[in-house]
Amino acid sequence: MDEKFDKSGETLPIIEEFYSIQGEGINAGSAAYFIRLAGCDVCCEWCDTKQSWNINNATICNVEEIAQRASKEKSHNVVVTGGEPLMHNLDKLCESLERQCLSVWLETSGTHPLSGNFDWICVSPKSHKEPLDEVLEQANELKIVIKSEEDFKMAEKYAQKVAAECILVLQPEWENHEKVSKLIIEYVKNHPVWKISIQTHKYLGVR
Ligand code: SF4
Protein backbone atom coordinates (compact mmCIF):
# COMPACT_ATOMS: atom_id res chain seq x y z
CA MET A 1 0.00 0.00 0.00
CA ASP A 2 1.31 3.43 -0.93
CA GLU A 3 2.76 5.42 2.00
CA LYS A 4 0.77 8.55 1.12
CA PHE A 5 -2.61 6.82 1.61
CA ASP A 6 -4.45 6.52 4.94
CA LYS A 7 -3.44 3.00 5.98
CA SER A 8 -6.37 2.70 8.38
CA GLY A 9 -8.80 3.10 5.46
CA GLU A 10 -11.02 5.38 7.54
CA THR A 11 -10.66 8.04 4.87
CA LEU A 12 -10.22 7.48 1.14
CA PRO A 13 -9.38 9.75 -1.82
CA ILE A 14 -12.49 10.01 -3.96
CA ILE A 15 -12.52 11.16 -7.59
CA GLU A 16 -16.28 10.95 -7.96
CA GLU A 17 -19.42 9.30 -6.64
CA PHE A 18 -22.51 8.96 -8.80
CA TYR A 19 -25.65 6.91 -9.23
CA SER A 20 -25.96 5.23 -12.61
CA ILE A 21 -26.25 1.91 -14.42
CA GLN A 22 -23.54 -0.75 -14.30
CA GLY A 23 -22.73 -0.88 -17.99
CA GLU A 24 -20.44 -3.88 -18.34
CA GLY A 25 -19.77 -7.38 -17.13
CA ILE A 26 -22.26 -9.85 -15.76
CA ASN A 27 -24.06 -7.25 -13.64
CA ALA A 28 -24.69 -4.98 -16.66
CA GLY A 29 -28.06 -3.30 -16.63
CA SER A 30 -28.37 -2.96 -12.85
CA ALA A 31 -28.62 0.41 -11.16
CA ALA A 32 -25.71 1.04 -8.80
CA TYR A 33 -23.95 3.73 -6.80
CA PHE A 34 -20.38 4.19 -8.07
CA ILE A 35 -17.47 5.10 -5.82
CA ARG A 36 -14.42 5.97 -7.90
CA LEU A 37 -11.18 6.00 -5.90
CA ALA A 38 -8.05 7.90 -6.90
CA GLY A 39 -4.72 6.38 -7.84
CA CYS A 40 -3.66 3.80 -10.40
CA ASP A 41 -0.19 2.44 -11.09
CA VAL A 42 -1.28 0.16 -13.95
CA CYS A 43 -1.45 2.97 -16.55
CA CYS A 44 -3.25 1.33 -19.50
CA GLU A 45 -2.80 3.44 -22.64
CA TRP A 46 -6.51 3.07 -23.51
CA CYS A 47 -7.77 3.90 -20.00
CA ASP A 48 -11.03 5.87 -20.12
CA THR A 49 -10.67 7.15 -16.53
CA LYS A 50 -7.20 8.72 -16.66
CA GLN A 51 -8.45 11.55 -14.46
CA SER A 52 -8.51 9.02 -11.62
CA TRP A 53 -4.76 8.34 -11.72
CA ASN A 54 -3.68 11.51 -9.95
CA ILE A 55 -4.47 11.51 -6.25
CA ASN A 56 -4.23 15.33 -6.28
CA ASN A 57 -7.53 15.35 -8.20
CA ALA A 58 -9.27 13.63 -5.28
CA THR A 59 -11.32 14.74 -2.30
CA ILE A 60 -10.49 12.96 0.95
CA CYS A 61 -13.72 11.52 2.38
CA ASN A 62 -14.65 9.63 5.52
CA VAL A 63 -15.94 6.12 4.70
CA GLU A 64 -19.00 6.46 6.98
CA GLU A 65 -20.09 9.53 5.05
CA ILE A 66 -19.53 7.75 1.72
CA ALA A 67 -21.69 4.84 2.89
CA GLN A 68 -24.44 7.18 4.04
CA ARG A 69 -24.51 8.87 0.65
CA ALA A 70 -24.64 5.48 -1.10
CA SER A 71 -27.51 4.33 1.13
CA LYS A 72 -29.71 7.22 0.00
CA GLU A 73 -30.15 5.80 -3.51
CA LYS A 74 -32.91 3.36 -4.43
CA SER A 75 -30.55 0.59 -5.56
CA HIS A 76 -28.70 -1.45 -2.93
CA ASN A 77 -25.80 -2.07 -5.29
CA VAL A 78 -22.49 -0.27 -4.90
CA VAL A 79 -19.57 -0.48 -7.34
CA VAL A 80 -16.14 0.28 -5.86
CA THR A 81 -13.89 1.20 -8.77
CA GLY A 82 -11.00 3.47 -9.76
CA GLY A 83 -8.31 3.95 -10.64
CA GLU A 84 -7.10 0.82 -8.90
CA PRO A 85 -9.14 0.62 -5.70
CA LEU A 86 -6.94 -2.07 -4.10
CA MET A 87 -4.12 0.48 -3.75
CA HIS A 88 -6.11 1.43 -0.65
CA ASN A 89 -7.19 -0.39 2.49
CA LEU A 90 -10.87 -1.07 1.75
CA ASP A 91 -11.70 -2.86 5.02
CA LYS A 92 -13.40 0.10 6.68
CA LEU A 93 -15.28 1.18 3.55
CA CYS A 94 -16.74 -2.30 3.12
CA GLU A 95 -17.68 -2.49 6.81
CA SER A 96 -19.50 0.84 6.54
CA LEU A 97 -21.31 -0.19 3.34
CA GLU A 98 -22.27 -3.53 4.90
CA ARG A 99 -23.74 -1.74 7.91
CA GLN A 100 -26.00 0.06 5.43
CA CYS A 101 -27.06 -3.38 4.04
CA LEU A 102 -25.59 -2.61 0.62
CA SER A 103 -24.33 -5.17 -1.87
CA VAL A 104 -20.72 -4.26 -2.64
CA TRP A 105 -19.07 -5.02 -5.97
CA LEU A 106 -15.38 -4.52 -6.72
CA GLU A 107 -13.74 -3.70 -10.06
CA THR A 108 -9.99 -4.32 -9.91
CA SER A 109 -7.01 -5.14 -12.09
CA GLY A 110 -5.94 -7.55 -9.34
CA THR A 111 -2.45 -6.08 -9.01
CA HIS A 112 -2.60 -5.29 -5.29
CA PRO A 113 -3.55 -7.47 -2.30
CA LEU A 114 -7.22 -7.81 -1.55
CA SER A 115 -8.72 -5.85 1.35
CA GLY A 116 -12.39 -5.49 2.28
CA ASN A 117 -15.24 -7.93 2.02
CA PHE A 118 -17.17 -7.98 -1.27
CA ASP A 119 -20.34 -9.56 -2.61
CA TRP A 120 -18.90 -9.61 -6.13
CA ILE A 121 -15.32 -9.34 -7.33
CA CYS A 122 -14.62 -8.59 -10.97
CA VAL A 123 -10.93 -8.93 -11.85
CA SER A 124 -9.83 -7.37 -15.11
CA PRO A 125 -6.11 -8.13 -15.58
CA LYS A 126 -4.00 -6.06 -17.93
CA SER A 127 -1.23 -7.51 -20.12
CA HIS A 128 1.50 -5.12 -18.92
CA LYS A 129 1.03 -5.68 -15.17
CA GLU A 130 0.47 -9.17 -13.76
CA PRO A 131 -2.43 -9.66 -11.36
CA LEU A 132 -1.80 -11.47 -8.07
CA ASP A 133 -2.83 -15.13 -7.95
CA GLU A 134 -4.44 -14.55 -4.53
CA VAL A 135 -6.83 -12.00 -6.10
CA LEU A 136 -7.57 -14.11 -9.20
CA GLU A 137 -8.51 -17.00 -6.90
CA GLN A 138 -11.19 -14.82 -5.25
CA ALA A 139 -12.71 -13.56 -8.52
CA ASN A 140 -16.41 -14.11 -9.23
CA GLU A 141 -15.90 -12.71 -12.71
CA LEU A 142 -12.80 -12.56 -14.92
CA LYS A 143 -13.14 -9.76 -17.46
CA ILE A 144 -10.53 -9.49 -20.19
CA VAL A 145 -10.48 -6.38 -22.37
CA ILE A 146 -9.54 -7.42 -25.90
CA LYS A 147 -7.61 -4.94 -28.00
CA SER A 148 -5.98 -7.38 -30.40
CA GLU A 149 -5.78 -11.09 -31.13
CA GLU A 150 -2.80 -11.40 -28.75
CA ASP A 151 -5.09 -10.71 -25.79
CA PHE A 152 -6.91 -14.03 -26.17
CA LYS A 153 -3.70 -15.74 -24.98
CA MET A 154 -3.75 -13.56 -21.87
CA ALA A 155 -7.42 -14.47 -21.35
CA GLU A 156 -6.68 -18.21 -21.41
CA LYS A 157 -3.64 -17.79 -19.17
CA TYR A 158 -5.64 -16.09 -16.42
CA ALA A 159 -8.66 -18.35 -16.88
CA GLN A 160 -6.40 -21.16 -15.59
CA LYS A 161 -5.94 -19.29 -12.31
CA VAL A 162 -9.53 -18.51 -11.31
CA ALA A 163 -11.98 -20.77 -9.45
CA ALA A 164 -14.09 -23.21 -11.48
CA GLU A 165 -17.29 -21.22 -10.84
CA CYS A 166 -15.79 -17.87 -11.92
CA ILE A 167 -17.63 -16.35 -14.90
CA LEU A 168 -15.37 -15.61 -17.88
CA VAL A 169 -16.08 -12.60 -20.09
CA LEU A 170 -14.34 -10.95 -23.04
CA GLN A 171 -14.93 -7.26 -23.66
CA PRO A 172 -13.96 -5.27 -26.75
CA GLU A 173 -11.67 -2.32 -26.06
CA TRP A 174 -13.87 0.66 -26.88
CA GLU A 175 -11.61 2.47 -29.38
CA ASN A 176 -11.24 -0.73 -31.41
CA HIS A 177 -14.62 -2.26 -30.71
CA GLU A 178 -15.76 -2.51 -34.32
CA LYS A 179 -12.68 -4.48 -35.33
CA VAL A 180 -12.27 -6.68 -32.25
CA SER A 181 -15.98 -7.44 -31.73
CA LYS A 182 -15.87 -9.66 -34.81
CA LEU A 183 -12.87 -11.54 -33.38
CA ILE A 184 -14.60 -11.94 -30.02
CA ILE A 185 -17.81 -13.26 -31.57
CA GLU A 186 -15.88 -15.96 -33.42
CA TYR A 187 -13.79 -16.73 -30.34
CA VAL A 188 -16.83 -17.19 -28.08
CA LYS A 189 -18.53 -19.39 -30.69
CA ASN A 190 -15.44 -21.60 -30.66
CA HIS A 191 -14.77 -21.35 -26.90
CA PRO A 192 -18.26 -21.16 -25.35
CA VAL A 193 -16.97 -21.14 -21.80
CA TRP A 194 -16.48 -17.40 -22.45
CA LYS A 195 -19.25 -14.78 -22.70
CA ILE A 196 -19.21 -11.36 -24.33
CA SER A 197 -19.34 -8.18 -22.25
CA ILE A 198 -20.28 -4.96 -24.02
CA GLN A 199 -19.82 -1.49 -22.52
CA THR A 200 -23.52 -0.76 -22.72
CA HIS A 201 -23.20 2.52 -20.78
CA LYS A 202 -21.29 3.97 -23.74
CA TYR A 203 -24.14 3.11 -26.12
CA LEU A 204 -26.69 4.43 -23.63
CA GLY A 205 -24.76 7.66 -23.10
CA VAL A 206 -24.50 7.27 -19.32
CA ARG A 207 -21.34 7.32 -17.18
FE1 SF4 B 1 -7.35 2.76 -16.17
FE2 SF4 B 1 -8.19 0.59 -14.90
FE3 SF4 B 1 -5.99 0.48 -16.45
FE4 SF4 B 1 -5.94 1.79 -14.11
S1 SF4 B 1 -6.24 -0.41 -14.41
S2 SF4 B 1 -5.13 2.50 -16.06
S3 SF4 B 1 -8.01 2.68 -14.05
S4 SF4 B 1 -8.11 0.87 -17.12
Side-chain angles (χ1 to χ4, degrees):
M1 201 160 299
D2 196 301
E3 292 296 318
K4 60 184 177 280
F5 300 142
D6 172 6
K7 287 198 187 106
S8 76
E10 279 165 17
T11 64
L12 290 169
I14 300 294
I15 291 293
E16 58 181 348
E17 293 172 34
F18 56 95
Y19 185 49
S20 188
I21 304 294
Q22 169 63 305
E24 58 191 56
I26 287 302
N27 292 316
S30 298
Y33 190 80
F34 287 76
I35 301 168
R36 187 180 306 288
L37 293 163
C40 186
D41 56 2
V42 183
C43 303
C44 307
E45 69 181 58
W46 44 261
C47 177
D48 56 6
T49 54
K50 285 186 175 152
Q51 77 280 11
S52 68
W53 294 3
N54 187 349
I55 195 164
N56 295 325
N57 294 336
T59 305
I60 304 300
C61 297
N62 177 283
V63 292
E64 265 313 310
E65 290 168 11
I66 298 169
Q68 277 169 24
R69 287 195 287 272
S71 71
K72 291 196 169 71
E73 302 297 350
K74 287 188 175 164
S75 168
H76 288 169
N77 305 321
V78 174
V79 178
V80 178
T81 186
E84 175 40 69
L86 288 181
M87 289 177 77
H88 308 280
N89 177 355
L90 301 179
D91 292 341
K92 293 279 185 332
L93 175 66
C94 290
E95 285 167 20
S96 297
L97 293 167
E98 200 178 322
R99 273 196 294 279
Q100 299 289 344
C101 302
L102 298 167
S103 178
V104 190
W105 305 343
L106 175 67
E107 294 277 335
T108 177
S109 63
T111 51
H112 291 263
L114 199 56
S115 57
N117 191 24
F118 293 91
D119 297 286
W120 191 262
I121 297 177
C122 175
V123 181
S124 182
K126 310 300 187 290
S127 57
H128 52 286
K129 191 155 188 190
E130 290 264 324
L132 303 176
D133 286 356
E134 68 195 63
V135 183
L136 284 169
E137 285 160 11
Q138 298 299 316
N140 301 102
E141 177 180 354
L142 177 70
K143 180 173 67 188
I144 306 290
V145 176
I146 302 289
K147 188 178 176 198
S148 70
E149 213 153 355
E150 278 295 295
D151 294 328
F152 292 114
K153 286 190 199 136
M154 171 178 66
E156 295 298 349
K157 174 178 154 188
Y158 294 132
Q160 299 300 313
K161 297 189 170 192
V162 296
E165 59 275 18
C166 179
I167 296 171
L168 308 177
V169 300
L170 300 171
Q171 179 171 292
E173 190 272 315
W174 180 251
E175 295 298 324
N176 292 285
H177 72 273
E178 283 183 21
K179 184 180 89 187
V180 290
S181 291
K182 294 188 182 92
L183 296 177
I184 293 174
I185 290 166
E186 287 311 309
Y187 197 87
V188 169
K189 281 159 68 180
N190 286 314
H191 306 81
V193 66
W194 292 91
K195 295 172 186 280
I196 299 177
S197 166
I198 299 291
Q199 292 186 292
T200 58
H201 52 295
K202 297 195 175 174
Y203 291 95
L204 295 170
V206 294
R207 301 200 265 180

